[in-house]
Amino acid sequence: MLDQGVLRLGQDDDQRRLEIARALATEPKLLALDEPAAGMNATEKVQLRALIDRIRQERCTLLLIEHDVKLVMGLCDQVTVLDYGKVIAQGTPAQVQSDAKVIEAYLGTGGH
């Protein structure tokens, strides 16, 4: 069972915690989290990562939709990268980070 202490994400995130708790109450096999780190500071993101990791290990499979690359790379076993709605890479975090299309799209030539 999840330790209640893990759910402390910060005083301004009561609604987000409540939404996650309500979703977990249904005992899902798959939980989709859409931008859970949006608007969080660094401390809150560390706490969120602990919560998400605990859910992943103890409860269910997660689908994480997130722009925070550090959070994604630290949590996910498999990553799919989109560029303007098109899949440009899939694989482990290490595979995706070294993919030429990902580097070009997010770090490279600025073709967009």
Side-chain angles (χ1 to χ4, degrees):
M1 202 74 174
L2 285 173
D3 176 18
Q4 292 297 321
V6 177
L7 290 172
R8 291 192 192 111
L9 298 177
Q11 294 177 347
D12 296 329
D13 295 300
D14 289 339
Q15 184 66 35
R16 200 166 315 186
R17 287 192 315 269
L18 178 61
E19 290 169 4
I20 292 171
R22 288 170 78 187
L24 288 173
T26 67
E27 298 184 6
K29 292 183 181 184
L30 173 69
L31 179 62
L33 298 175
D34 187 4
E35 298 288 340
M40 289 186 168
N41 65 38
T43 301
E44 292 165 338
K45 286 180 184 181
V46 168
Q47 294 170 342
L48 175 67
R49 179 181 174 179
L51 170 62
I52 292 172
D53 194 41
R54 191 92 180 252
I55 293 168
R56 184 174 69 96
Q57 289 179 20
E58 295 182 11
R59 300 291 292 261
C60 62
T61 300
L62 290 168
L63 171 63
L64 180 63
I65 303 159
E66 181 59 63
H67 284 93
D68 185 318
V69 174
K70 184 175 179 182
L71 180 67
V72 170
M73 295 301 174
L75 276 173
C76 299
D77 298 321
Q78 292 290 309
V79 178
T80 299
V81 179
L82 304 177
D83 185 30
Y84 290 96
K86 294 175 89 175
V87 174
I88 60 169
Q90 289 182 299
T92 66
Q95 290 170 327
V96 166
Q97 285 177 314
S98 63
D99 186 279
K101 290 179 185 174
V102 173
I103 293 168
E104 181 178 342
Y106 290 94
L107 302 173
T109 62
H112 298 288

